[in-house]
Amino acid sequence: MNLQYEIEGGDFTRAGNVSSQVKRVLKQLSLDAQTIKRIVIALYEAEVNVVAHAFRGVASVDIQPDRIVVVIDDEGPGIPDIAQAMQEGFSTASPEVREMGFGAGMGLPNMLRNVDQLDVRSVVGRGTTITMTTRFPAPKADTP
């Protein structure tokens, strides 16, 4: 199943809409609650990063039988130093974004903590692509 959502930079009133919609789909697929929670936290963090830092972005969600792959591709300033951006507390958020309660520098670290595989690629002046993969736990066998 492939889903695609547009994310508008600067639109904090809609930040979280994509992760909420994906959460509904995952619940309908009867995934376990802990896996859904991990996916939604990581997706929310990526979504807020687009809203806070980029002009626009697209979230592509590929749900396979054994995993989910989420790709967030944005048009924005890019990340000059990915290793630095991965450090907890490092932030390039504007004062206005911080005043709204965002930009604490936990987005990328929280993504890394909640997915099985995280790939961050960025070109300064063009944008960032984040690929997050989360494997689903094997179904438990019914015991008689």
Side-chain angles (χ1 to χ4, degrees), residues 60-87:
S60 301
V61 181
D62 181 18
I63 303 170
Q64 300 174 20
D66 63 334
R67 67 186 173 281
I68 182 170
V69 179
V70 178
V71 178
I72 307 291
D73 195 18
D74 77 37
E75 295 174 32
I79 303 171
D81 186 339
I82 293 172
Q84 186 178 35
M86 292 299 295
Q87 295 176 16

Side-chain angles (χ1 to χ4, degrees), residues 4 16 25-27 37 45 59 61 88 106-107 111 133 140:
Q4 194 161 323
V25 170
L26 296 176
K27 281 184 170 186
K37 181 178 179 180
E45 294 286 6
V61 181
E88 290 189 12
M106 293 304 294
M111 286 178 231
T133 303
K140 294 181 178 160

Side-chain angles (χ1 to χ4, degrees), residues 21-68:
Q21 290 178 46
V22 170
K23 181 179 181 179
R24 273 193 291 279
V25 170
L26 296 176
K27 281 184 170 186
Q28 290 171 348
L29 295 174
S30 300
L31 281 181
D32 69 287
Q34 187 59 33
T35 301
I36 292 173
K37 181 178 179 180
R38 289 176 58 220
I39 293 165
V40 170
I41 288 170
L43 178 53
Y44 176 79
E45 294 286 6
E47 186 178 355
V48 168
N49 276 357
V50 173
V51 172
H53 299 287
F55 306 116
R56 69 188 62 80
V58 174
S60 301
V61 181
D62 181 18
I63 303 170
Q64 300 174 20
D66 63 334
R67 67 186 173 281
I68 182 170

Side-chain angles (χ1 to χ4, degrees), residues 3 13 20 24 36 39 43 61 83 86 97 100 107 112 124 135-136 138 143-144:
L3 307 168
T13 61
S20 292
R24 273 193 291 279
I36 292 173
I39 293 165
L43 178 53
V61 181
M86 292 299 295
V97 168
M100 288 186 276
L112 180 62
V124 174
R135 288 179 286 287
F136 300 147
T143 54

